[in-house]
Amino acid sequence: DFKSVTMYATENNRLAVGIEVDFQVNDEDRARDWTRTEGVVWLTGVPFNEPNNRTVEIHDLQIYGDTDRLTGDLLVRFAMGPVLQQRIALALTEDFTNDYNDLLEDAEEAIAELPIDNSWMVRAEMGEVRHGRIRVTGPGLFLPVEIDGEARIELALPASR
């Protein structure tokens, strides 16, 4: 079981994720070899994307941990091996294209017509959208975005009598 997950920004654009675990094998034949263990496993890595690419990978993944039993500590050591680290890093790779497109649609809808008061209306359209590399910051992850577009301000004059 995963009890809780904690994330921190660390040095050198690294993200640290701590996972509190409670692990037990339910197979009676193995119960004598594998007992219940609790502890915290930490994964640290550098989130990475190419500019204008919506796939985020984790580079330089490192795994640390400490549990209350030798069996748990051995599992953590096994996960620290290069083969399993590569598989975990690959499993953490995420393509955010759908989320990104949904966000752009919501933003475009939000700025399409912005009434200022009863007489004024701002109409805006987004054009080309570009983004840079993701960065780890204190409050979370930051993705710099640059958008070209057009906007116009319209005045609705009262109808003449």
Side-chain angles (χ1 to χ4, degrees):
D1 290 332
F2 298 112
K3 292 183 175 180
S4 65
V5 176
T6 306
M7 282 201 248
Y8 294 103
T10 65
E11 297 176 342
N12 301 319
N13 202 38
R14 296 184 74 80
L15 186 65
V17 178
I19 305 166
E20 188 178 355
V21 295
D22 183 349
F23 177 79
Q24 181 175 353
V25 174
N26 291 327
D27 183 350
E28 288 185 21
D29 293 336
R30 295 184 187 202
R32 63 179 178 263
D33 298 325
W34 294 88
T35 59
R36 181 179 186 160
T37 185
E38 295 179 87
V40 178
V41 176
W42 285 95
L43 296 96
T44 69
V46 179
F48 178 83
N49 70 301
E50 290 292 342
N52 300 312
N53 187 319
R54 297 169 184 173
T55 299
V56 177
E57 303 169 347
I58 302 299
H59 287 190
D60 191 26
L61 178 69
Q62 297 175 6
I63 302 172
Y64 306 94
D66 186 37
T67 69
D68 61 351
R69 300 212 189 267
L70 178 60
T71 53
D73 291 342
L74 289 173
L75 286 171
V76 171
R77 285 190 184 267
F78 176 68
M80 291 168 61
V83 172
L84 193 53
Q85 274 188 355
Q86 281 183 329
R87 292 184 75 174
I88 293 170
L90 185 60
L92 293 173
T93 298
E94 185 68 35
D95 183 348
F96 288 98
T97 297
N98 291 337
D99 297 318
Y100 193 88
N101 290 341
D102 290 345
L103 180 64
L104 290 179
E105 286 176 21
D106 290 346
E108 201 158 22
E109 184 178 316
I111 65 169
E113 293 185 351
L114 300 168
I116 297 191
D117 60 26
N118 291 335
S119 301
W120 295 94
M121 176 72 73
V122 176
R123 299 184 193 278
E125 295 177 6
M126 292 179 7
E128 184 180 3
V129 179
R130 297 171 298 284
H131 66 267
R133 287 200 170 123
I134 198 164
R135 293 189 294 236
V136 176
T137 66
L141 298 174
F142 173 74
L143 183 68
V145 177
E146 185 177 306
I147 302 172
D148 294 330
E150 294 182 8
R152 62 184 177 279
I153 300 174
E154 298 174 359
L155 173 61
L157 297 173
S160 58
R161 298 180 193 187

